[in-house]
Amino acid sequence: MNLSIFGKSLFIPSDVIAAWVFTIIMGGIVLISIFKYKKLPVIWEFMRTTNHRKIGTLYILFGFIFFLRAGIDALFIRSQLAVPNNDFWVFQFQKYNEVFTTHGTMMIFFAATPMLLGLMNIAVPLQIGARDLAFPFLNAVGFWLFFTGGMLFNIAFFLNSAPAIGWTGYAPLSTSLFTPGVGSDFYVFSLQISGLGTIFTALNLIVTIVRLRAPGMKFTRMPLFTWATLITAFLILVAFTVLAIGLYLLMFDRMFGTKFFHGPDGDPVYWQHLFWIFGHPEVYILALPAFGIFSDIISTFSKKRVFGYPAMVLSIVLIGFLSFMVWVHHMFTVGLGPVTNTIFAITTMQLPYQLGLKYLIGYLQCEVV
Amino acid sequence: MKKIAILPFIMLLAGCQSITVLDPKSSTGKEQAYLIWFSLAIMVIVLLVVFILFTRFVIRYRYTEKKAEYIPQDVKGNLKYELTWTIVPFLLLAVLAVPTLKITFDQSPEMAAEANTNGVHINVTAEQFRWTFEHKNSKTVHNELIIPENKDIVFHLSSKDVIHSFWIPELAGKVDVIPNKELIYVIKNAEIGEYDGKCAEFCGIQHANMTFDVKVVSLDEYNQYLKQSSN
Ligand SMILES: [Cu+2]
Ligand SMILES: [Cu+2]
C-alpha cells in the first residue's frame, strides 16, 4: 500500500498496516479495561517484582504471547504454501522470507525457552525448599532483558524491517554485504540482549540449586525436574555464551567492516560451527526440563519412587555432556570431509541411545496404581 | 464407531504421492535411500514395542475407584529388565551403525585438494540466483545440466556469493556450495531421464526460483551435446 505523507510517497505492506491497526485497537481496549477494573497497581507490582513466582508467571505469559505471534506466522506460511503458485496476501518473496525467519526465531528464543525458564523459576525453589532464587534482583534483570529482546525483535516487523535471513542467520547472507538493511541488525541485537538475560537466569538457577537447598535435601534426593534444571542451566551457560560470541563477531562484520565470516580470509563455516555448538544443546535445553517434568508427574501419580533414580540422574548428565559433541550433524553437507562426518555420525548415534535408555526407564515407572 | 469415519480424511493429509528421495535414479541415491529405509525399519520395531507397552500400561494400570487406597509396593530395580533394555538397543544401534558409517565415509563431499576421482568432470558455479555448468571442453550453460548415464559424474562446486546448496532430489542428497572453497561431490550411475534440480540453502529473495533442469542422456548424445556450440 502506498501512503503519501508530507508530499513523500511511502510504501508500506498491508500486513504491517493491519498489524498497527490491530495493535492500536487492542491496546486501547486493554488500556480501558485496565483502568475500568483498576488493575494498574497489579501491573505496577509485577513490573517491580523480584519474586520468583511472579517472574516465572511473567516469563510464561510473555512466552505465550510471543508463541501466538510465531503461531500466526506459521499460519501465514502454511496459507502461502497451501497450493502451488499461490499468492496469499503479501506473503511472497521477501515477505515470505521474513515470515519464516521470525517464526523460527520467535519459537526457539522467545517462546519455548522463556516458557521453560518460567517454569523453572516457579517450581525449582518450591521443590528444593528455598525462599527464592539466590539473586532475586538479577532474576528480574534477566526477565526484563528477555522482554526487551523479544520486544525489539517484534518491533522490527512493525517498522517493516523484519530480518529475512532464516532463524539460523547463516553467513555470508547475514553479513552487511548481502543484507545491508537494519533487519539483520534487529536479529543480532535482540538475540544478544535476550541471550544475556537467559545466561543470567542460568547462573542464578545454578547457584540456587547448589547453595539454597533446604536441610536434608541432598543432591541424591533432589526431584528430577530440579536435576534437569541444573544440567540445563549448565548447558545454557556454555551454549548461549558461544551464541553471544558468534553474534558479536557477526555484529563486527556488519557494522565495523571486519571479515570473520566472508571474504578470502574469513569463512562462513565458522558461523555455522558457532551457531550449532549453541544450536544442538539448545535442543536439550528444551528437552531435558520436559523429561524432568514427565519423571516427576509420573512418579507422583503412580505413588512410587522414581525407578532407577541414580541411572536417571546419570543419563541426564550424560545427555547434557553428549549434546555438545554432535553439532556437526547439522553440517554434513558442508564438506568437512569423510572423517569428520563419520566421527560425528558415531557421536550422534550415541546420543539417542542415552535418550532411549532414559525413556525406557521412565516407562517402567507406570507399572502401578 | 463415528470416530472411524474421520479416518479417510486423515488419509487425505498424506499429500505426497511420490517421495522422489525414496525412489532415486542413481546408485549414489540408492545407497542413501537404502539407509533411510533401513533405519526406518529399525525405528519401527522400537516404535511398535514402545507403543504397545505404552498402551498396555495406560490401560492396565490406570486409576480407578477401586485403587483409591492402594499403595504400590516399593520396587528398587530389576536386573533382568535393566540389562535387556540396555543391551537390545545397543545391538540395534550397532546393526544400524555398520552401513551408516560405510556410506557416510564413502559419500561425504570433499575438499577439492583431497579428491582424486575419475569420471566426467563438471564445474558447477552458483550465484544469486542462477546455476552455471561448465563442461570439460569449457562449454558453459546456465540452469540446464546435461550428464551421461552410467558414469561417475564429478561435480566441482563453488559459489560466487552466499552459500547455496546443490540438490537433485531424484538423483542424490544435497551438498552445500560455499564461496572461496571448492567442494567435490560424486554422483554415480544416473539413469536416463529428466529431473528437477534446486538450490537447497536459503540464499535470498529469489531462492525459491533458483532451480535448474537435469537431463541424463546416453554417452553418445552427451558427446554430441558437447560438440554443439553453447548458446
Ligand atoms: Cu542437532
Ligand atoms: Cu541459492
Side-chain angles (χ1 to χ4, degrees), chain A residues 269-320:
Chain A
V269 177
Y270 295 156
W271 167 262
Q272 297 187 13
H273 282 297
L274 289 171
F275 190 87
W276 289 117
I277 291 173
F278 149 78
H280 191 86
E282 169 72 12
V283 174
Y284 293 92
I285 290 169
L286 301 179
L288 284 181
F291 297 157
I293 295 171
F294 295 159
S295 298
D296 282 356
I297 290 178
I298 292 177
S299 66
T300 303
F301 282 94
S302 55
K303 302 183 194 167
K304 271 189 147 184
R305 72 164 86 195
V306 172
F307 188 92
Y309 179 88
M312 288 292 256
V313 171
L314 190 71
S315 62
I316 296 178
V317 176
L318 271 180
I319 290 169

Side-chain angles (χ1 to χ4, degrees), chain A residues 263 305 333 341 353 357 368-369, chain B residues 61 67 74 85-86 108 176:
Chain A
R305 72 164 86 195
T333 59
N341 282 4
Y353 179 58
L357 284 191
V368 252
V369 177
Chain B
Y61 299 111
K67 293 176 184 165
D74 188 28
W85 72 60
T86 312
S108 290
D176 287 3

Side-chain angles (χ1 to χ4, degrees), chain B residues 126-129 131 162-165 199-204 207 210:
Chain B
E127 68 197 284
Q128 286 175 328
F129 301 90
W131 295 93
V162 300
I163 298 179
H164 302 272
S165 196
C199 175
E201 180 69 58
F202 172 60
C203 61
H207 163 69
M210 192 170 158

Side-chain angles (χ1 to χ4, degrees), chain A residues 80-81 85 92-94 96-97 100, chain B residues 129 131 164 197-212:
Chain A
Q80 167 61 25
L81 296 180
N85 297 319
Q92 296 85 40
F93 300 111
Q94 193 66 2
Y96 181 80
N97 298 342
F100 74 66
Chain B
F129 301 90
W131 295 93
H164 302 272
K198 56 185 89 179
C199 175
E201 180 69 58
F202 172 60
C203 61
I205 187 162
Q206 285 285 1
H207 163 69
N209 291 330
M210 192 170 158
T211 56
F212 56 98

Side-chain angles (χ1 to χ4, degrees), chain A residues 69-241:
Chain A
R69 157 88 210 273
I72 294 171
D73 282 345
L75 294 181
F76 288 149
I77 295 174
R78 293 324 310 182
S79 314
Q80 167 61 25
L81 296 180
V83 288
N85 297 319
N86 197 9
D87 279 320
F88 173 71
W89 201 358
V90 288
F91 297 104
Q92 296 85 40
F93 300 111
Q94 193 66 2
K95 267 287 167 195
Y96 181 80
N97 298 342
E98 286 173 9
V99 117
F100 74 66
T101 303
T102 46
H103 166 74
T105 315
M106 303 265 307
M107 279 293 187
I108 296 288
F109 292 97
F110 303 118
T113 316
M115 281 204 237
L116 286 170
L117 285 180
L119 193 64
M120 292 171 185
N121 248 299
I122 294 172
V124 166
L126 298 179
Q127 281 195 325
I128 62 173
R131 233 178 293 152
D132 203 325
L133 292 190
F135 310 110
F137 182 74
L138 186 72
N139 193 22
V141 171
F143 167 75
W144 288 106
L145 282 173
F146 148 71
F147 176 83
T148 314
M151 281 302 169
L152 193 64
F153 193 80
N154 275 283
I155 284 169
F157 168 74
F158 284 90
L159 301 179
N160 191 26
S161 48
I165 49 179
W167 82 279
T168 53
Y170 267 16
L173 184 65
S174 54
T175 61
S176 51
L177 208 59
F178 297 101
T179 45
V182 289
S184 310
D185 295 325
F186 273 112
Y187 171 87
V188 171
F189 286 111
S190 54
L191 291 198
Q192 193 71 288
I193 291 168
S194 75
L196 191 65
T198 310
I199 293 174
F200 286 165
T201 307
L203 279 170
N204 214 338
L205 284 165
I206 294 174
V207 177
T208 308
I209 293 172
V210 173
R211 299 286 304 176
L212 296 189
R213 277 167 293 126
M217 173 59 78
K218 293 184 192 150
F219 273 117
T220 47
R221 290 178 184 163
M222 251 168 27
L224 281 177
F225 179 69
T226 305
W227 259 114
T229 301
L230 182 64
I231 302 304
T232 306
F234 276 109
L235 292 189
I236 290 178
L237 205 58
V238 180
F240 273 78
T241 312

